[in-house]
Structures are given as structure tokens and as C-alpha cells.
Amino acid sequence: MFNILKSIKNIFIHVRSSLKLILIVIISAILIIGIIFTFYKPTYAVSINGEFVGYTSDKNNLQKRINEYMKGIKEQNIAFVDIETLPEYSLCFVKKENIENDDEIIEKIKNQGTTYFECFAVTLKDAEKYYVTTKEEAEEVIETLKKKDSNNIKNIAYTQVYSTEEKEYTDKDTIVKGLYEKKKPVYTIASAGGGGVTTEKLELGISLIKPVSSYQMISSRFGLRSSGMHKGLDIAAREGTQIVAAASGTVESAGWSNSGYGNFVLISHGNGVQTLYGHCSALYVSAGQYVEQGSAIATVGSTGNSTGPHLHLEIRVNGVRVNPQYYLY
């Protein structure tokens, strides 16, 4: 019985010693933690490609800002940012005087990423001319030009653009002023041959060569004269002088004209552009034939309403006669 009591006493002493030790350890731990939290704070060290870039106390908020930046949510006109390596976070304790630098971290991430800007280009004949920030602005420009009945409205459009460099943006009024094209004045002449005539230079979209290279003079120019509107250019040359096609195209008509042209050739060059060669003495081509630029099509004569050998040359754009001397001679 005595031995049992002695054993119990020994156990009690051992437990009490253990409790004291545990209590000392707990108190020590509390003191250590207290000291740590007095001078240090938990935070996250941020690194990119293994390089330390700063501290953040809220990695979730920082990562949210990075994701928003990559998607272009926060930055105006940024479509997205291509970042090859995202930041890594590691929990650590730092002195309280150390300051978190989330903004600096964001800037460093911007510098190592590729930023793609989004905008809209207003185009003329598929060439980018001006840039605006939104689709609505581009549509408003085109609608304004439609209302003004701009002559080139069919060639004006817009397209979405992504670029690694931000474009220079232009306000609507400046774009409209820069793109607006006044309608070309067309005057209808109710005389033999009919057809519209304009004193303005129209865009042909092709280059022309002289149909008669050996000539004496320009005997009558395009424009008003005492007998009425002269809708072409008269080039005086010796009878039989070769006439060549001013541009490649398909012969639309070739033969005798009852409108005063005499023997004539009418060639279509596409996009509404035609050339007519009148008062010919001989014709070398027929309707439906394709001719190359510079190939012989007729010879100079004085057939039809003519007072002497010459070539009557007309250039037509969608049926409207224009002055040939804008392009030749």
C-alpha cells in the first residue's frame, strides 16, 4: 500500500513539473508572438520571373487589379495586355515600417507586358485615315457624311483596330471636314449625242497614253464654243495617222455614228471609264474585241461632222464627259 501511494505521489510530481514546462513554453510562445507582431507584420513578397518586386498585404486584391488590367477593364482604350509570366506570392513577416507598394508592382508588370490598344479607324478606300475611341463615334462620322451627301461616301467605312501603340485620336468635326467631298457639278447638254458634261476633274483610276503621238496641233479644246458645248478634244493630224488605244479595255462599239462622229471606236476600260475616238478614216477593231494599251485601233480621218482630218477624243466617266486635257496633251 505504501508503494502505491509513493508511486501516485511521484506521478503527481511529474505531471506538475510537465504542466509547469508546458505553461512556460506557452507563455514564451505568446511573448515571442507578441514581440513579433509588435515589430513585424504578415505580408506577401511578390516576385516576377524570380525577381523580387515588392510587398503586398492583400494578394487577392492585387491579383484582381492585375487581371483587370490584362483585360483592359480599368485603363481607357486598352483591349488587353499580354503578360507571359504572372507574379508569384510568398508569405513572410516584415518590419512594420516597410510599406506595401501595390501601385509600383502594377507599373512593373505593365512594363514587362505587351499592351494592345483598341480603337476604330475611319477609312477611305480601305486606307486608315482617322482614329476614334468608340464604334459609336465612327458611325456618327459616317452618318454625318451621308447627311452632307459627300461625293465619296461609298468609299468611307470604319474598322476595328488593335495596336501595340496608342493611336492619335481626332474629333468628329475635323474628320468630317477632312473627308467631305463636294458633289461634282454635272451639266446635261441637250444636243446631238446627248450625255452629261462636267468641268471638274474626275478620278479615272487608270493611266492613259496619247492616242495620237504624231500630231500638228490641238485644233479645238473641250468646253463652250460658238456652236455649243464641245465635249471632247480635237487633235489635228495627217489623214491616215495611226490611232492607238489610250488604255487597255474592251471595244464596246465600232462603226458609223449618226451623231456626227463619223467612223468611231468606243472602248470601255472598267469602273465606268470609256474613251471615244471619232472621225476615223479606217477602223481596225470591232465590238467585243479586247485591246491592249497602245495597240492600233484606227486611223485619223475626216468622216462625219468634220472640216478636216483630226481625232475627236472623248473621255467619259459613268457617261459624263470630262476634259481630256486633265489627263493628256
Side-chain angles (χ1 to χ4, degrees):
M1 184 66 178
F2 176 77
N3 291 333
I4 294 174
L5 292 174
K6 186 177 180 180
S7 296
I8 293 173
K9 182 180 179 181
N10 289 335
I11 293 172
F12 176 77
I13 293 171
H14 179 72
V15 170
R16 186 174 63 179
S17 299
S18 298
L19 287 174
K20 284 182 179 180
L21 181 60
I22 292 171
L23 184 59
I24 290 170
V25 170
I26 292 173
I27 292 172
S28 298
I30 292 173
L31 289 173
I32 292 170
I33 292 172
I35 292 170
I36 290 174
F37 278 92
T38 299
F39 299 100
Y40 294 86
K41 59 183 177 180
T43 189
Y44 291 92
V46 184
S47 59
I48 301 174
N49 289 324
E51 180 184 351
F52 171 77
V53 292
Y55 294 107
T56 179
S57 59
D58 189 343
K59 72 172 185 178
N60 292 330
N61 182 63
L62 178 61
Q63 189 61 52
K64 180 181 178 182
R65 289 180 60 187
I66 293 170
N67 293 341
E68 287 177 346
Y69 173 71
M70 291 174 62
K71 295 176 183 177
I73 294 174
K74 293 295 184 182
E75 301 289 337
Q76 185 180 13
N77 302 328
I78 294 179
F80 60 91
V81 180
D82 184 18
I83 298 177
E84 294 183 1
T85 306
L86 291 176
E88 297 178 348
Y89 305 93
S90 56
L91 182 62
C92 62
F93 286 89
V94 296
K95 290 184 178 181
K96 285 192 172 181
E97 58 265 26
N98 285 345
I99 301 174
E100 291 83 6
N101 54 340
D102 291 24
D103 292 339
E104 291 181 15
I105 294 172
I106 294 290
E107 288 302 317
K108 289 179 180 179
I109 289 173
K110 288 182 181 181
N111 293 334
Q112 66 97 38
T114 302
T115 301
Y116 289 87
F117 297 93
E118 176 191 38
C119 65
F120 291 82
V122 180
T123 62
L124 177 63
K125 293 183 178 179
D126 296 326
E128 296 176 5
K129 293 294 184 180
Y130 299 96
Y131 299 95
V132 294
T133 57
T134 66
K135 175 182 176 182
E136 289 72 22
E137 288 179 275
E139 290 176 340
E140 189 176 353
V141 166
I142 293 175
E143 187 61 30
T144 301
L145 287 167
K146 283 181 180 178
K147 289 179 181 178
K148 291 172 69 70
D149 198 22
S150 182
N151 190 55
N152 56 1
I153 189 62
K154 290 183 179 180
N155 295 319
I156 297 174
Y158 70 88
T159 184
Q160 192 173 25
V161 175
Y162 291 101
S163 172
T164 55
E165 294 183 1
E166 191 166 12
K167 302 292 186 179
E168 182 177 344
Y169 304 113
T170 308
D171 64 90
K172 186 194 80 171
D173 292 340
T174 301
I175 298 174
V176 170
K177 184 178 180 180
L179 291 179
Y180 175 71
E181 184 178 289
K182 188 177 180 181
K183 286 282 187 181
K184 306 294 184 183
V186 176
Y187 311 98
T188 301
I189 308 300
S191 60
V197 177
T198 179
T199 58
E200 300 291 326
K201 182 179 180 180
L202 302 183
E203 181 63 41
L204 300 183
I206 58 172
S207 60
L208 303 177
I209 62 172
K210 294 178 179 180
V212 175
S213 56
S214 175
Y215 63 97
Q216 295 171 326
M217 68 177 73
I218 303 299
S219 56
S220 183
R221 300 184 186 279
F222 177 92
L224 286 171
R225 58 187 184 183
S226 59
S227 59
M229 185 71 179
H230 188 228
K231 294 172 283 185
L233 181 69
D234 289 348
I235 306 156
R238 295 182 183 278
E239 186 157 353
T241 300
Q242 183 174 268
I243 301 170
V244 301
S248 302
T250 301
V251 178
E252 193 167 314
S253 302
W256 182 264
S257 167
N258 293 321
S259 301
Y261 293 119
N263 288 324
F264 79 102
V265 176
L266 178 65
I267 301 177
S268 177
H269 307 287
N271 295 323
V273 179
Q274 299 171 311
T275 52
L276 180 140
Y277 312 80
H279 307 309
C280 304
S281 58
L283 304 179
Y284 298 155
V285 294
S286 56
Q289 181 178 341
Y290 181 81
V291 293
E292 296 286 349
Q293 185 179 53
S295 59
I297 58 172
T299 56
V300 171
S302 187
T303 58
N305 295 339
S306 172
T307 58
H310 71 281
L311 168 65
H312 174 80
L313 173 66
E314 288 185 10
I315 299 176
R316 304 174 180 180
V317 181
N318 295 319
V320 177
R321 276 79 164 179
V322 296
N323 187 350
Q325 288 194 275
Y326 284 140
Y327 318 98
L328 296 168
Y329 298 99

